[in-house]
Amino acid sequence: MILETNALSYDYGSGEKLQFPDLKVAAGEKIALVGASGSGKSTFLNLLSGVLPVQAGSIRLLGQSYKDLSPLQLDKIRADHIGIIFQSLNLIPYLTGFENAVLGLEFSRTRRAKIDDVTYKTTSLGHQLGLTSNILNKRPNELSVGQQQRIAVIRAILGGPELILADEPTSALDPSATEKFISELNSSVESSSQAIIVISHNPKIIPWFDRVIRIGRE
Ligand code: ADP
Ligand code: MG
């Protein structure tokens, strides 16, 4: 099992306690996480990625419970085994697309070791996602939002982390671009040792996934 959660909940202390469904994610699974705005989707993702602390319940990644890990160990686990595409993308403005794309490898020897030729792998993933070498050499402010999202995808998947998490990666795209992006994202994580969880409030993405998890009241 790549990921397993049990009785997970989170309390910001200012509203209702958020409660999350138990999740069991096996290798090769593609999961859509849907729910209304404010239902707790981003909170759930931030718990899964170790950004928020586990207050109640448990999260296991590759068998290891987050609660048993020191902050340093959790950082290492995250760098080695999780690729994240944040809603805000978090690209570094003074780095080129290529430099942003390979950033995840700088923090993980495990992920770096899975790639023979980083330049070749990065540019070929870029080409697969419609980014030419010329585009990869530009800085984020010279790229369209769609191109920036594709850079964020490459950064998340390079070096084959077992779990890919994406928070509303299509929110800035129109409906036809959304379908294309989701199908590209899914085909770029075709490896049977990986799993992907994509958060969205857009029900149109559901057919692209093996399974749908709903958060909050419908
Ligand atoms: P979604 O991603 O589904 O829109 P969120 O996880 O962002 O939902 O938010 C779930 C609930 O938690 C909302 O009611 C939101 O206002 C609240 N919330 C989110 N982040 C914080 C925070 N940092 N402090 C206090 N409340 C928060
Ligand atoms: Mg959100």
Side-chain angles (χ1 to χ4, degrees):
M1 210 50 73
I2 289 191
L3 181 75
E4 216 170 330
T5 74
N6 201 281
L8 200 60
S9 66
Y10 196 82
D11 193 347
Y12 283 106
S14 52
E16 241 181 287
K17 182 164 81 171
L18 298 164
Q19 275 170 323
F20 302 105
D22 291 348
L23 206 56
K24 272 199 169 89
V25 184
E29 278 199 293
K30 297 186 172 81
I31 295 175
L33 201 65
V34 302
S37 177
S39 57
K41 302 183 298 295
S42 293
T43 304
F44 196 31
L45 179 123
N46 287 334
L47 286 165
L48 298 181
S49 61
V51 170
L52 287 174
V54 178
Q55 291 176 340
S58 66
I59 301 174
R60 279 174 185 280
L61 182 72
L62 302 165
Q64 276 192 294
S65 175
Y66 285 10
K67 270 197 243 171
D68 300 337
L69 301 170
S70 70
L72 218 64
Q73 289 173 316
L74 186 57
D75 279 349
K76 177 155 169 47
I77 291 261
R78 183 168 47 195
D80 287 346
H81 303 294
I82 303 182
I84 310 172
I85 304 159
F86 291 102
Q87 191 164 1
S88 53
L89 302 181
N90 293 358
L91 299 181
I92 312 276
Y94 53 84
L95 298 181
T96 65
F98 181 93
E99 289 163 345
N100 270 286
V102 299
L103 214 52
L105 303 178
E106 315 244 334
F107 298 104
S108 171
R109 256 181 254 160
T110 305
R111 283 173 67 174
R112 175 64 187 83
K114 288 194 213 166
I115 303 174
D116 287 335
D117 183 336
V118 172
T119 303
Y120 175 79
K121 181 72 190 171
T122 307
T123 43
S124 60
L125 263 175
H127 291 170
Q128 199 183 314
L129 293 168
L131 303 176
T132 61
S133 305
N134 183 36
I135 291 173
L136 287 172
N137 284 324
K138 294 186 172 180
R139 296 202 162 74
N141 69 351
E142 303 171 298
L143 301 173
S144 72
V145 174
Q147 290 167 338
Q148 293 178 37
Q149 282 171 318
R150 287 169 168 82
I151 302 278
V153 168
I154 301 173
R155 185 180 57 187
I157 64 184
L158 267 182
E162 285 81 353
L163 180 63
I164 317 274
L165 301 172
D167 193 355
E168 307 220 27
T170 63
S171 52
L173 301 180
D174 62 47
S176 70
T178 293
E179 289 207 19
K180 185 163 183 287
F181 178 80
I182 290 293
S183 86
E184 286 172 351
L185 176 61
N186 281 349
S187 58
S188 54
V189 291
E190 213 55 82
S191 153
S192 56
S193 61
Q194 289 175 295
I196 179 163
I197 303 178
V198 177
I199 289 180
S200 183
H201 61 260
N202 182 355
K204 289 219 176 80
I205 70 154
I206 289 173
W208 296 94
F209 291 84
D210 302 322
R211 201 143 62 87
V212 179
I213 310 280
R214 281 169 211 285
I215 296 231
R217 303 182 193 91
E218 285 301 301

